[in-house]
Amino acid sequence: MLESLIDLDLLKRLKRGLYSVLQILASPLERLIAMLLKPFKTNLETMVIGSGIATSYGKYLEKVSMALLPTLLLSSIASALLASYLFASPLVIAFLALATPFLIVLPIAIALTISIPVILYRNRGEIVESKALQLLLALSLLGASGQSIYRALESLPIVLGRDFKFFSIEINLATSLIRTGVPVDEALKKVANITPSQTLRELFSSLASATAIGGGIAGVLSSLLERYVSRYSIRIEKAVETLNVYMEVYVAVALLIPVLVGSIAALLLLYPIGLLSFDALMILTTLLLVPIASTSIVVLSDVIVSRMRP
């Protein structure tokens, strides 16, 4: 038992040591990435925090650089091995070993570093927007009980239960800023700047204004609920229209495939093609085309419905 504890502690120390070494080695790469991303820093920082990838822009760059460093090394080694197999010149091998990581891998990594937070930010915004009604109702309940904004925010994990995870980034950021001494209205404004949800942005901005002038939250939440319901009804109409388009495409595919298969089968009987037989056509249609089309429609429809579900 004691030996296993010692081995576990040794592994933890070794892991921390390797992490520190990798962090030191990746620091020049982190500075390079920060310099390349400087024009996008303001917007990217908002999306990084709002998407939940990292708690700060610096932490995100640290993660990216530590993941990118071994990728660059492996790409350099792989390109050198491939070049040594294709070319005999040491200069060509050295050039490809150096050019591949920085001219191919690094630009792709920079593009992914920018695009991944954008995609996750928008996706989380759709999810949070569909769940915002629960947050508004919970705050209305807590506000009606006479609690202050800070106390109401602290009580949300208990009131919302499992649904708190959808709003944890904004709520935890607001409470942590207030605990560190940031004025309530300033903390709420900072949260409003990073959230991807339009409803939550309006909520925290309105709460910040109400706090600054000493107003209550009941009137703010009442107007927000009205606007949310009207927006939600519009979103439902758009979702229904999109689903109708998907269903029309699915019906068209389901009707056209048998016609196309029958026509091509008749042509194959009249004019046989050596590489394409009727059996191969049936296998391609029944095992690939129809399942892929059906699965695509089902997945797209499920994504739309899940984003609309409150």
Side-chain angles (χ1 to χ4, degrees), residues 5-202:
L5 291 175
I6 293 175
D7 293 339
L8 184 60
D9 184 63
L10 182 62
L11 289 175
K12 289 182 178 179
R13 291 182 180 179
L14 181 61
K15 183 179 179 180
R16 288 196 296 267
L18 291 175
Y19 183 84
S20 300
V21 171
L22 184 59
Q23 192 175 17
I24 293 172
L25 293 175
S27 58
L29 184 60
E30 180 181 346
R31 290 193 291 269
L32 174 62
I33 296 173
M35 182 182 67
L36 295 174
L37 295 179
K38 190 175 181 180
F40 313 98
K41 180 180 178 181
T42 303
N43 293 331
L44 194 59
E45 183 175 10
T46 299
M47 294 182 180
V48 165
I49 301 174
S51 63
I53 298 179
T55 56
S56 66
Y57 182 69
K59 289 286 185 181
Y60 178 64
L61 292 184
E62 181 181 324
K63 290 181 180 179
V64 170
S65 61
M66 292 180 67
L68 184 57
L69 180 61
T71 305
L72 292 175
L73 292 175
L74 289 175
S75 64
S76 177
I77 294 172
S79 60
L81 293 175
L82 181 61
S84 62
Y85 178 76
L86 298 175
F87 306 100
S89 174
L91 292 177
V92 175
I93 296 174
F95 173 76
L96 291 177
L98 293 175
T100 301
F102 291 100
L103 297 182
I104 298 177
V105 178
L106 184 59
I108 295 175
I110 294 298
L112 290 175
T113 302
I114 297 173
S115 59
I116 289 176
V118 174
I119 295 172
L120 294 179
Y121 186 81
R122 292 177 179 175
N123 183 64
R124 182 174 178 269
E126 292 288 337
I127 296 173
V128 173
E129 187 69 19
S130 65
K131 306 291 182 181
L133 180 61
Q134 302 177 25
L135 177 62
L136 295 176
L137 293 175
L139 284 174
S140 299
L141 177 63
L142 294 171
S145 64
Q147 294 191 21
S148 64
I149 294 178
Y150 175 65
R151 293 300 179 189
L153 294 176
E154 281 194 326
S155 303
L156 283 175
I158 300 174
V159 176
L160 291 173
R162 290 182 300 177
D163 293 328
F164 176 74
K165 62 184 179 182
F166 298 110
F167 319 104
S168 59
I169 295 176
E170 287 83 4
I171 304 303
N172 290 336
L173 177 61
T175 52
S176 62
L177 288 174
I178 295 171
R179 287 196 198 101
T180 56
V182 178
V184 177
D185 57 330
E186 293 183 10
L188 295 175
K189 287 179 182 178
K190 290 183 179 180
V191 176
N193 290 332
I194 62 98
T195 183
S197 168
Q198 181 181 354
T199 300
L200 265 65
R201 191 178 302 114
E202 293 177 357

Side-chain angles (χ1 to χ4, degrees), residues 192-240:
N193 290 332
I194 62 98
T195 183
S197 168
Q198 181 181 354
T199 300
L200 265 65
R201 191 178 302 114
E202 293 177 357
L203 170 64
F204 288 108
S205 299
S206 301
L207 291 178
S209 301
T211 303
I213 63 176
I217 64 175
V220 170
L221 293 172
S222 177
S223 61
L224 285 174
L225 281 169
E226 293 178 359
R227 290 201 297 269
Y228 179 80
V229 170
S230 61
R231 278 203 305 265
Y232 191 71
S233 62
I234 295 174
R235 293 181 65 210
I236 290 178
E237 292 177 0
K238 291 182 179 179
V240 170

